[in-house]
Amino acid sequence: MKYHRISRELFVRNRAKFVKSLAPNSVAFFNSNDIYPVSADSTVAFQQHRDIFYLSGVDQEESILVIYPDAFNPMHREMLFLKETNETIAIWEGEKLTKDAAFQTSGIKTVFWLTQFETVLKTVMAQAENVYINTNEHTRRYSETQTREDRFIQKLQHDFPAHTYKKSAPIMHRIRSVKEKEELDLMQKACDITAAGFQRVLNFVKPNVWEYEIEAEIIHEFIRNRSKGFAYTPIIGSGKNACVLHYIENNQQCKSGDVILMDFAAEYANYASDLTRCVPVNGKFTKRQRAVYDAVLRVKKACTKLLVPGTLMNEYHVEVGKLMEKELLGLKLIDKTDIKKQDPNWPAYKKYFMHGTSHFLGLDTHDVGLWTEPIKAGMVFTVEPGIYIPAEGLGIRLEDDVVVQKKGAPFNLMGNIPIEAEHIEELMNKKSR
Ligand code: GLY
Ligand code: MN
Ligand code: MN
């Protein structure tokens, strides 16, 4: 792992929060992700499943976490099952967790090798009444691939059909959405690495630079700061490419007079950050670009203030819509007639701002959280309004990551990243261009 060791106290506390929500005599299982294949003998770099990581800190494939607070045998109350390492693995892959290292990482005293799982499973299933399984209930989940967790659940329900099965997902969504101090520090670190990437971009962008050259600068800065890399596939879209919301080709040349929309951010210790900034290729916004930029920035500033405890995210999005409507009228992109005859389910402003303004952020970029409940202090959200005008070859989005406070405005984890148009221009023009 490139990141510094995380205090195991965090994972001990996380498990305690999970256990509080369990029904009596319940056992819960959490699996690592598979290592996903490409073809032949190549694989995609391992990404740990965020739930087992959140509850144990174990960042290794083929691991199982078992939580059974009412187990008859105290050794069975918390258990890790890990792949036993050997000389061949040590030579080809390097260090894997020993039993002691797994304890140091997680605070879990009972660590077994995976080969013992079937035996222990029979013992705990004979005692437990309820079984909490970890299905993916993200509202935007999309996968045709069966995960290691899916396979595990299928076999468990086949072998033990008489148990009562319950869902871990709502518990995980609730506890993961309110961040601990240590998590906020890790997220701040991710944001600071992102900030370094943006600083480097400001010194680098000039007419005729290619979008992929910008991407290359950023990844260099991330990895040299102990990040594994991008928290999500980066978008570096100049001119009209900025209007393609999920543009990831990043293969065009940036022309003087265009604006580049850059939605990129670092991960750190599996925690995501999520940034968007827009800069003029030649170091100076045109009057029109500046007007659109400032409109987006005003919306961003105003809607950030709405992220206070008690806010309902659906009501928040309605409020943001009103702010955006006002700005689009000012920019003469829509008029009063458009609003009068608008479809209430797809208001006129959506023509230029068609995505959500905020999402939960944490171990996942589009993190888990309960969208139907009022928001709480300690939750982290993005704030990312945008205006996209394909006819003008211009798309502006501005995105920061903020922490909801007990009182007052949220804390901006990206408060040190330049965002005012004049500041961006000033920094871009500092060096001879
Ligand atoms: N970068 C993904 C998003 O902004 O939601
Ligand atoms: Mn983003
Ligand atoms: Mn985002």
Side-chain angles (χ1 to χ4, degrees), residues 90-345:
I91 288 169
W92 287 83
E93 297 176 34
E95 203 179 318
K96 297 281 169 187
L97 286 173
T98 61
K99 290 186 179 183
D100 182 57
F103 165 71
Q104 298 297 340
T105 301
S106 65
I108 295 173
K109 294 197 186 88
T110 308
V111 183
F112 289 118
W113 298 128
L114 208 48
T115 44
Q116 290 159 279
F117 183 72
E118 283 301 322
T119 310
V120 180
L121 177 69
K122 283 179 226 164
T123 307
V124 299
M125 291 301 272
Q127 291 165 23
E129 185 58 38
N130 307 302
V131 183
Y132 282 73
I133 49 176
N134 196 29
T135 44
N136 183 353
E137 295 185 15
H138 194 284
T139 50
R140 287 164 66 175
R141 61 166 277 182
Y142 173 75
S143 174
E144 291 189 356
T145 309
Q146 193 180 39
T147 64
R148 194 176 182 81
E149 194 77 71
D150 295 335
R151 288 199 307 278
F152 176 87
I153 292 169
Q154 215 170 40
K155 180 163 184 338
L156 195 69
Q157 292 189 315
H158 175 267
D159 292 351
F160 299 95
H163 285 72
T164 303
Y165 284 87
K166 291 178 177 285
K167 309 194 296 183
S168 291
I171 306 174
M172 295 306 294
H173 292 201
R174 184 180 303 283
I175 62 179
R176 272 180 55 184
S177 63
V178 178
K179 271 61 180 178
E180 291 283 321
K181 165 84 171 67
E182 291 95 328
E183 294 184 281
L184 292 175
D185 289 346
L186 294 166
M187 293 185 76
Q188 182 67 70
K189 173 82 178 161
C191 289
D192 290 347
I193 298 172
T194 300
F198 183 57
Q199 193 59 52
R200 192 163 165 141
V201 165
L202 286 176
N203 294 334
F204 181 74
V205 166
K206 54 187 176 314
N208 298 328
V209 71
W210 290 79
E211 292 163 352
Y212 54 75
E213 292 181 300
I214 298 174
E215 182 178 338
E217 288 295 304
I218 298 167
I219 194 71
H220 184 142
E221 195 62 31
F222 285 2
I223 294 176
R224 72 188 282 270
N225 281 294
R226 291 182 176 269
S227 164
K228 226 165 20 194
F230 291 106
Y232 51 88
T233 311
I235 297 166
I236 313 289
S238 57
K240 65 175 175 16
N241 298 336
C243 299
V244 180
L245 295 180
H246 289 162
Y247 175 80
I248 52 171
E249 294 294 332
N250 305 345
N251 63 359
Q252 297 301 304
Q253 202 171 24
C254 306
K255 298 290 181 198
S256 181
D258 279 348
V259 170
I260 318 170
L261 181 152
M262 297 175 293
D263 186 339
F264 67 87
E267 74 81 54
Y268 179 75
N270 293 324
Y271 281 86
S273 57
D274 190 358
L275 173 88
T276 309
R277 288 292 186 270
C278 297
V279 305
V281 175
N282 62 16
K284 180 97 182 108
F285 290 104
T286 65
K287 205 166 157 223
R288 174 65 171 172
Q289 289 165 352
R290 178 70 192 266
V292 178
Y293 189 101
D294 286 348
V296 174
L297 186 54
R298 275 192 297 274
V299 173
K300 180 180 165 294
K301 285 178 182 170
C303 67
T304 300
K305 290 188 198 141
L306 304 175
L307 291 172
V308 294
T311 294
L312 279 164
M313 291 310 280
N314 59 338
E315 290 175 7
Y316 162 82
H317 278 101
V318 172
E319 288 308 308
V320 181
K322 290 181 196 162
L323 295 165
M324 189 53 93
E325 182 183 275
K326 184 166 162 256
E327 293 295 346
L328 293 177
L329 284 168
L331 291 166
K332 305 211 178 330
L333 286 167
I334 59 174
D335 60 28
K336 292 242 161 84
T337 323
D338 295 322
I339 296 170
K340 235 183 240 159
K341 47 177 213 216
Q342 73 188 7
D343 173 356
N345 294 319

